């Protein structure tokens, strides 16, 4: 269909959804049904989805190749109940012949793993029973989190109902300062608009600073769109994206971009050169301050890793800060590479040696500490700086513990100083 | 059908870690989850909540994780409905899918106080504050979502689709 009289162009989000609804055009607010290219679940959400799948009366999933099951939250199994949940997921994968099941030792944190394995591509629609599924928007895909029952419905039918979101445009320009990464841009943005500032909407990130941003930093930004309440975060695929997917993705990529006359409910412009490294103070991700205004906060733990910041760029930044230095005697530094491949690469580059010599503990990939599951739970009154995505009450352990969010370089510098600190202070 | 109960009131941005902390997510047994419902927001809640009680929250209720365990825990704790100024989107979908009644009403969220006795008429979207003698109105569900609720949730809807296929 040609654009009708007065019809505006479409955003990248609208174009991807229209293509998957087999329509020429969709409008914000419309309820549509779209075909999905990938359905994801983990060891917390998939067991509930499997029970719901059984209730549908279906014997087989719609397409075993379009389902990914990644036990990553409480693995390696932290207790007998967790082990039972993982066993249930494994058994379901075997029964249904799902090839993209990832066992400990070959796995990764789901949102680091799927792009690395080439299972998500530009132009795809991906739904996952995990709120940070929005990470894949960094590839120019539509990706959103849902619950277990929606996951079950999608595993059965290969489609999902969605309300077409309005889009908000975030334009970043200027050269970033030293020690500023995608994490700082997204924390700054959430600080500006609030934790429900993009509720139910698409956050479209663009501008020269995004074009110059690494793929790893782009994943970090899209990952935290949900912390502003967004349905999805998205960055149009460009040469950086295509270079990343070329050696990984199987099958065809579809590159979409927003029309110049697309409609946005709001447009924000940020001068990146004015943004310092950012820290989100307890207990919401929008409680953000520049590092210079955080003040004296002594810490007990520093966590570097997670689906937000467990990639090579993060580990390299942390190693750069930690090289030749020691972790403060009163601090535990935990480093969690996002996937086995990232872990191996970190070994090959000598980063792991730097971490161990600095006095850090290194773990196999797991979501454990981020959500207070295991491998780094906080005691009453303890404080942590973490490269993760949430600092809610009790997120990392005791309800009277505190989590501060930052990039990996700031977390590493803080581990050395024993208080929240900028790498510039070392 | 009318719902009637005493109100437990919470603030803005009640997140899913407050509703059911991740440390209890090694099970999806509703009765187990109910024992820890709202634990990090109000440790008294799980022990004192009565069957039929109503939760009233502010903006962005249920933000955070995609865990369906959150509305499951609330429902299993005996809560008859959640009223909030607004809901985070994944929680909204999950509540529909597990059959937990939710109503969006900024006015009700503002006016209702803890302990108020409140009556809710879901079909009409009417909220009656018996304690204060006030009435508030909630936005009706879009027709498509109402159909899913009428089907008894998305799973029944899917089952119907599969039977139609033969």
């Amino acid at each position: 269909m040609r654009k009708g009289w007065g019809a505006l162009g479409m955003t990248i989000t609208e174009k991807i959804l229209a293509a998957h609804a087999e329509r020429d055009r969709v409008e914000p607010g419309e309820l549509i049904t779209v075909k999905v290219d990938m359905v994801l679940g983990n060891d917390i959400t998939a067991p509930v989805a499997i029970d719901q799948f059984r209730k549908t009366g279906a014997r087989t999933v719609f397409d075993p190749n379009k389902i990914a099951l990644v036990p990553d939250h409480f693995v390696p199994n932290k207790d007998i109940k967790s082990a039972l949940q993982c066993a249930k997921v494994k058994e379901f994968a075997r029964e249904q012949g799902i090839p993209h099941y990832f066992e400990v030792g070959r796995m990764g944190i789901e949102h680091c793993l799927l792009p690395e394995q080439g299972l998500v591509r530009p132009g795809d629609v991906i739904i996952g029973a995990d709120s940070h599924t929005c990470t894949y928007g960094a590839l120019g895909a539509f990706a959103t989190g849902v619950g277990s029952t929606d996951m079950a419905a999608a595993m059965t039918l290969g489609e999902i109902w969605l309300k077409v979101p309005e889009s908000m445009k975030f334009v970043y320009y200027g050269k970033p300062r030293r020690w500023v990464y995608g994490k700082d841009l997204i924390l700054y943005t959430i600080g500006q608009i609030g934790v429900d500032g993009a509720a139910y909407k698409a956050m479209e990130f663009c501008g020269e600073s995004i074009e110059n941003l690494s793929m790893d930093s782009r994943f970090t930004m899209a990952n935290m769109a949900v912390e502003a309440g967004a349905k999805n975060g998205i960055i149009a695929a460009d040469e950086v994206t295509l270079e990343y997917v070329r050696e990984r993705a199987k099958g065809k990529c579809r590159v979409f971009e927003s029309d110049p006359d697309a409609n946005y409910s709001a447009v924000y412009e940020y001068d990146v050169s004015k943004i310092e490294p950012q820290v989100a103070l307890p207990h919401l991700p929008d409680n953000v301050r520049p590092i210079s205004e955080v003040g004296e906060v002594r810490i007990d733990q520093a966590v570097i890793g997670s689906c937000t910041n467990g990639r090579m760029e993060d580990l390299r930044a942390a190693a750069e800060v930690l090289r030749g230095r020691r972790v403060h005697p009163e601090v535990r530094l935990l480093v969690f590479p996002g996937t086995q491949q990232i872990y191996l690469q970190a070994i090959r580059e000598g980063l792991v040696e730097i971490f161990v010599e600095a006095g850090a503990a290194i773990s196999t990939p797991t979501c454990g500490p981020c959500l207070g599951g295991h491998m780094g739970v906080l005691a009453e009154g303890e404080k942590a700086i973490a490269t993760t995505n949430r600092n809610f009450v009790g997120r990392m352990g005791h309800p009277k513990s505190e989590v501060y969010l930052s990039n990996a370089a700031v977390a590493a510098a803080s581990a050395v100083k024993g208080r929240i600190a900028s790498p510039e202070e070392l | 059908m009318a719902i009637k109960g005493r109100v437990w009131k919470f603030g803005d941005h009640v997140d899913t870690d407050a509703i059911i902390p991740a440390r209890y997510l090694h099970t999806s047994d509703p009765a187990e989850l109910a024992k820890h419902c709202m634990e990090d927001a109000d440790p008294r809640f799980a022990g004192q909540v009565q069957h039929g009680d109503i939760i009233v929250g502010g903006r962005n209720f249920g933000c955070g994780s995609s865990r369906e365990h959150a509305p499951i825990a609330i429902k299993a704790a005996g809560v008859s409905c959640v009223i909030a100024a607004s809901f985070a989107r994944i929680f909204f979908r999950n509540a529909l899918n597990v059959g937990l009644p939710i109503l969006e009403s900024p006015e009700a969220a503002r006016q209702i106080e803890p302990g108020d006795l409140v009556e809710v008429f879901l079909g009409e979207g009417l909220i009656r504050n018996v304690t204060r003698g006030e009435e508030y109105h909630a936005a009706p569900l879009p027709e498509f979502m109402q159909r899913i609720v009428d089907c008894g949730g998305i799973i029944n809807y899917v089952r119907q689709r599969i039977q139609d296929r033969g």
Side-chain angles (χ1 to χ4, degrees):
Chain A
M1 193 183 83
R2 283 172 307 149
K3 284 185 215 164
W5 293 106
L8 289 163
M10 288 196 288
T11 67
I12 178 171
T13 294
E14 290 155 13
K15 286 184 183 181
I16 296 172
L17 292 178
H20 286 75
E22 290 166 5
R23 299 253 305 261
D24 294 317
R25 182 172 184 90
V26 295
E27 305 282 347
E30 269 188 281
L31 288 160
I32 58 169
T33 299
V34 294
K35 290 205 164 17
V36 297
D37 299 298
M38 185 55 68
V39 181
L40 164 72
N42 59 49
D43 52 318
I44 290 178
T45 58
V48 179
I50 293 164
D51 289 343
Q52 295 291 70
F53 172 80
R54 303 284 185 218
K55 291 183 199 161
T56 65
R59 298 224 312 276
T60 56
V61 297
F62 83 106
D63 183 346
N65 293 305
K66 291 184 176 175
I67 291 167
L69 296 171
V70 189
D72 59 356
H73 277 60
F74 293 156
V75 302
N77 298 333
K78 75 168 178 133
D79 54 23
I80 293 169
K81 285 180 176 173
S82 310
L84 282 169
Q85 294 199 131
C86 288
K88 184 170 180 170
V89 177
K90 181 180 183 177
E91 177 50 35
F92 183 74
R94 187 160 46 196
E95 167 200 306
Q96 295 289 324
I98 292 168
H100 307 307
Y101 165 82
F102 295 91
E103 193 52 90
V104 169
R106 280 87 76 194
M107 53 75 76
I109 296 170
E110 51 197 331
H111 309 308
C112 298
L113 185 71
L114 263 56
E116 176 191 285
Q117 295 291 318
L119 296 175
V120 288
R121 302 161 302 186
D124 281 356
V125 167
I126 304 116
I127 67 140
D130 187 278
S131 59
H132 294 108
T133 300
C134 53
T135 308
Y136 317 129
L139 294 168
F142 175 89
T144 193
V146 296
S148 297
T149 301
D150 277 324
M151 179 193 169
M155 281 200 299
T156 313
L157 299 174
E159 57 183 46
I160 186 166
W161 70 267
L162 292 168
K163 186 159 88 175
V164 179
E166 289 184 324
S167 290
M168 298 169 83
K169 187 174 182 175
F170 297 86
V171 186
Y172 301 82
Y173 63 91
K175 192 171 179 292
R177 299 183 188 187
R178 180 97 175 101
W179 307 114
V180 166
Y181 301 87
K183 182 61 165 286
D184 304 294
L185 305 192
I186 191 63
L187 283 177
Y188 178 83
T189 304
I190 296 167
Q192 294 293 308
I193 67 171
V195 289
D196 59 353
Y200 292 76
K201 296 192 172 139
M203 292 176 85
E204 187 175 323
F205 306 112
C206 58
E208 61 172 13
S209 315
I210 302 298
E211 287 160 23
N212 292 326
L213 211 55
S214 69
M215 205 55 235
D216 285 358
S217 262
R218 294 181 188 192
F219 283 124
T220 305
M221 291 190 72
N223 173 274
M224 287 192 74
V226 67
E227 309 314 334
K231 180 169 288 180
N232 66 311
I234 195 160
I235 298 170
D238 61 9
E239 263 315 304
V240 174
T241 325
L242 295 176
E243 191 186 331
Y244 178 89
V245 296
R246 205 168 285 136
E247 57 202 50
R248 296 178 169 88
K250 295 119 195 139
K252 215 170 59 190
C253 301
R254 282 183 288 178
V255 176
F256 292 89
E257 58 181 8
S258 293
D259 291 323
D261 58 345
N263 195 26
Y264 295 93
S265 66
V267 178
Y268 294 87
E269 289 191 22
Y270 300 128
D271 180 353
V272 168
S273 70
K274 297 205 166 79
I275 297 176
E276 283 182 48
Q278 304 284 305
V279 178
L281 279 58
H283 287 286
L284 283 174
D286 65 2
N287 191 13
V288 172
R289 284 188 212 162
I291 182 85
S292 61
E293 293 172 22
V294 171
E296 172 91 11
V297 180
R298 303 207 67 81
I299 56 162
D300 304 283
Q301 180 165 297
V303 176
I304 296 171
S306 83
C307 62
T308 312
N309 288 105
R311 300 183 181 83
M312 284 313 299
E313 178 180 78
D314 309 306
L315 300 185
R316 286 177 190 138
E320 195 179 334
V321 171
L322 290 167
R323 188 190 302 272
R325 296 196 168 95
R326 295 283 300 168
V327 172
H328 189 277
E330 290 173 23
V331 175
R332 309 178 292 268
L333 171 59
L334 314 176
V335 181
F336 292 76
T339 66
Q340 289 290 98
Q341 240 182 58
I342 292 169
Y343 200 161
L344 186 58
Q345 181 67 20
I347 291 170
R348 287 179 175 149
E349 291 186 17
L351 311 185
V352 169
E353 193 173 337
I354 292 170
F355 297 144
V356 173
E357 282 185 346
I362 301 159
S363 161
T364 192
T366 177
C367 309
C370 171
L371 74 166
H374 66 151
M375 303 288 286
V377 177
L378 298 176
E380 179 171 3
E382 283 195 325
K383 295 180 184 186
I385 190 157
T387 66
T388 55
N389 41 54
R390 288 186 179 135
N391 54 353
F392 300 151
V393 172
R395 174 70 179 180
M396 204 172 264
H398 195 279
K400 290 198 177 112
S401 60
E402 291 184 351
V403 179
Y404 296 72
L405 307 175
S406 76
N407 73 35
V410 169
S414 305
V416 171
K417 296 295 265 183
R419 58 173 171 80
I420 295 181
S422 163
E424 302 285 359
E425 293 183 52
L426 297 172
Chain B
M1 189 190 68
I3 288 170
K4 198 171 186 176
R6 292 272 169 203
V7 165
W8 291 79
K9 191 160 182 188
F10 297 91
D12 290 338
H13 314 300
V14 172
D15 61 79
T16 50
D17 283 279
I19 298 170
I20 181 71
R23 56 187 178 272
Y24 303 118
L25 298 184
H26 53 190
T27 176
S28 55
D29 175 21
E32 277 297 311
L33 296 173
K35 286 184 200 162
H36 304 289
C37 187
M38 307 306 287
E39 189 169 288
D40 289 357
D42 182 350
R44 299 168 308 139
F45 181 87
Q48 296 180 11
V49 66
Q50 300 290 311
H51 190 82
D53 281 0
I54 290 169
I55 287 179
V56 176
R59 274 163 55 196
N60 202 26
F61 188 91
C63 61
S65 149
S66 72
R67 63 189 72 154
E68 206 158 292
H69 311 63
I72 290 173
I74 292 174
K75 198 179 171 195
V79 170
S80 58
C81 113
V82 182
I83 300 166
S86 63
F87 290 93
R89 57 165 287 275
I90 305 179
F91 183 90
F92 183 90
R93 289 185 78 112
N94 287 346
L96 289 187
N97 285 339
V98 307
L100 172 69
I102 50 173
L103 289 162
E104 196 171 286
S105 170
E107 192 194 5
R110 203 168 43 240
Q111 299 293 116
I112 297 174
E113 295 291 336
D116 282 1
L117 183 66
V118 166
E119 240 182 329
V120 175
F121 301 86
L122 287 175
E124 297 81 16
L126 176 67
I127 302 161
R128 184 178 289 152
N129 190 331
V130 178
T131 306
R132 279 162 219 287
E134 294 174 351
E135 284 189 357
Y136 326 107
H137 294 273
L141 279 182
E143 195 194 327
F144 175 80
M145 294 180 206
Q146 190 59 51
R147 268 213 308 279
I148 290 175
V149 173
D150 292 345
C151 271
I154 192 87
I155 290 302
N156 284 343
Y157 172 83
V158 171
R159 190 192 294 141
Q160 192 60 49
R161 286 273 306 272
I162 288 171
Q163 280 167 4
D164 292 349
R165 268 189 212 162

